[in-house]
Amino acid sequence: MFLTGSMVVNQKGHLEIGGCDLVDLAKEYGTPLNIMDESMIRGRCRSYLKSMEANYPDFEVIYAGKAFLTRAMCRLLEEEGLSLDVVSGGELYTALKADYPPEKIYFHGNNKTTEEINLALSRGVGRFVADSQGELELIDSLAGEMGKRANILLRIKPGVVPDTHQYIQTGQIDSKFGLGLTDGQAMEALDKCLELDNLELKGFHCHIGSQIFQTEPFALAASIMMSFIREVALSRNIKIGELNLGGGLGIRYLKKDSPPPIDEYVKGIAHMIKKKADDYNLPLPRIMIEPGRSLVGEAGVSLYRVGIIKDVPGVRRYVSVDGGMSDNLRPALYKAKYEAALANKADQPSGEKVSVAGKACESGDMLIWDVQLPPVERGDLVVIFSTGAYTYSMASNYNRLPRPAVVFVREGNSDLVVRRESYEDLVRNDLIPKRMEKGD
Ligand code: LLP
């Protein structure tokens, strides 16, 4: 079985996470249910901070909120001493609603709207990670209207292409994100930033992609960014004090996956920055990293109730569950693969090969093709592992399926951190025009 964090099989033969029996959690909160091992998330936060502390003098660990963001998550981050990356007004609002300190927020995105920028400026977010010249001009003029100065990191495309799914590669030249180095766009934007009165250039940012299993591409990006810092120091005579290297460290989805440990990833980056600073005779910049998936991914599982089981003779057995692509889009979008088990039969040997189908009206809504499980019956609980990142945050209401509830589990206690959506929630924003109203 695929056990991570605090997972154990208890005496009843049920899977337990954070000291909570999943069969009991299903009874208490219903299914589908997202369960997050809080101690594991906190443990990952601490590993990043500890590794950084041991390897580099001046750093910040910023959680990429797009992986999973709720108000409770913001509280956890603040308690653990992490900063926060947001990419939309909605993520920013979530953080503000959790009283998360705005000065620790990094505001990303390739198309920040006027309203979003105004909200960020008025609440005093720490840094804007600016993605284009157009955005620099917009932030400058809005900051001017408010009589404020905005702190800027320029997002650069380092031109590094890691080995990961094409949809989640971001550092290559043909990307909607960032400013090219080789085509001169980065330098042009830098000059623009220096020229505009209401902007304060603090440093650079880059992000090469996600779910990456090698440490070399990160070190390569770090080295390219340091060369750019040198170029800027020589040609513009300015000192760049901050370098944000983005996120991207991969996690274990399948038994065979072996991503590098956090410490190895951090050492690779820290070593390269120190070496380049030394080679180029530059002061050490403050380093930021922005992990998302590797902080929450393995800490989460999705729990589903089995409904209809259908045999296609000689072909396969479809085991349908009460969720699917509406609560985990990753298999449909990226052909992402997962491991699974039966939470209520966790002590039984895997006896049959089945495929786990979602309930959406879409042939592509298959959560897992071909997985070995103990004999499955209606009412069993399928648990899918490593679903803490980019599942709840990418959930939709396709087929008008309500989004699941989310619970944090820790030391035998469970806390509801997101309520299950109700049917009433689904129609809350629907309006019926007057002319369509039914008469009495
Ligand atoms: N920083 C920036 C600027 C990013 O764009 C991202 C992810 C991160 C940090 C965090 O990367 P992580 O450590 O989580 O790999 N929906 C896709 C992943 C999209 C990642 C987008 N950016 C998936 O489900 O695989």
Side-chain angles (χ1 to χ4, degrees), residues 45 49 59-65 69 73-74 76-86 100-106 126 244 286 288-291 295:
C45 293
L49 291 170
F59 65 87
E60 208 169 321
V61 179
I62 305 167
Y63 171 65
L69 197 70
M73 186 65 199
C74 292
L76 184 157
L77 295 168
E78 191 182 348
E79 285 172 11
E80 294 298 334
L82 266 65
S83 303
L84 176 64
D85 140 7
V86 301
Y100 185 87
E103 65 279 5
K104 292 180 73 177
I105 296 180
Y106 286 70
N244 181 330
R286 181 178 179 80
M288 293 101 169
I289 50 171
E290 282 172 344
L295 281 173

Side-chain angles (χ1 to χ4, degrees), residues 412-433:
N413 296 311
S414 62
D415 291 298
L416 188 63
V417 296
V418 186
R419 267 196 291 267
R420 179 178 305 286
E421 274 181 335
S422 65
Y423 289 152
E424 195 47 45
D425 291 329
L426 294 176
V427 296
R428 176 167 303 153
N429 294 315
D430 287 9
L431 300 169
I432 294 178

Side-chain angles (χ1 to χ4, degrees), residues 57-213:
D58 187 12
F59 65 87
E60 208 169 321
V61 179
I62 305 167
Y63 171 65
K66 68 207 82 177
F68 170 78
L69 197 70
T70 71
R71 292 200 292 157
M73 186 65 199
C74 292
R75 283 290 157 87
L76 184 157
L77 295 168
E78 191 182 348
E79 285 172 11
E80 294 298 334
L82 266 65
S83 303
L84 176 64
D85 140 7
V86 301
V87 286
S88 68
E91 287 186 356
L92 176 57
Y93 185 79
T94 303
L96 296 172
K97 276 288 194 185
D99 293 324
Y100 185 87
E103 65 279 5
K104 292 180 73 177
I105 296 180
Y106 286 70
F107 191 10
H108 284 262
N110 62 311
N111 186 23
K112 301 174 186 74
T113 65
T114 301
E115 293 73 23
E116 288 174 328
I117 295 170
N118 276 335
L119 175 63
L121 283 169
S122 68
R123 300 299 291 267
V125 302
R127 301 280 181 275
F128 287 86
V129 181
D131 198 80
S132 62
Q133 278 206 50
E135 184 188 329
L136 289 173
E137 284 161 8
L138 183 58
I139 298 174
D140 178 68
S141 86
L142 297 172
E145 281 168 24
M146 267 188 223
K148 296 198 171 190
R149 259 171 94 77
N151 293 321
I152 303 289
L153 296 185
L154 280 184
R155 178 159 178 174
I156 311 286
K157 295 185 222 196
V160 175
V161 184
D163 177 20
T164 187
H165 193 288
Q166 190 194 345
Y167 288 8
I168 49 179
Q169 291 172 346
T170 34
Q172 72 278 23
I173 289 301
D174 185 4
S175 164
K176 71 169 179 173
F177 298 108
L179 297 146
L181 279 182
T182 45
D183 56 13
Q185 291 202 337
M187 201 55 105
E188 253 177 54
L190 178 124
D191 287 336
K192 171 65 70 183
C193 193
L194 295 176
E195 175 196 312
L196 293 170
D197 289 339
N198 308 307
L199 303 183
E200 172 94 21
L201 179 67
K202 291 287 186 184
F204 299 138
H205 170 277
C206 71
H207 170 76
I208 57 173
S210 198
Q211 185 57 6
I212 297 168
F213 274 22

Side-chain angles (χ1 to χ4, degrees), residues 337-356:
K337 294 197 166 50
Y338 290 93
E339 303 278 358
L342 291 184
N344 57 318
K345 295 177 179 171
D347 56 345
Q348 295 183 22
S350 296
E352 61 180 23
K353 190 166 80 175
V354 301
S355 291
V356 181

Side-chain angles (χ1 to χ4, degrees), residues 1-3 7-17 20-23 255 303 340-351 372-375 380-383 385:
M1 174 133 22
F2 186 88
L3 298 178
M7 288 180 205
V8 290
V9 177
N10 67 19
Q11 283 173 345
K12 294 182 189 157
H14 299 170
L15 189 62
E16 213 174 270
I17 306 181
C20 296
D21 185 320
L22 296 198
V23 175
K255 280 180 202 145
L303 190 63
L342 291 184
N344 57 318
K345 295 177 179 171
D347 56 345
Q348 295 183 22
S350 296
Q372 293 284 342
L373 291 178
D380 281 343
L381 289 166
V382 170
V383 55
F385 298 99

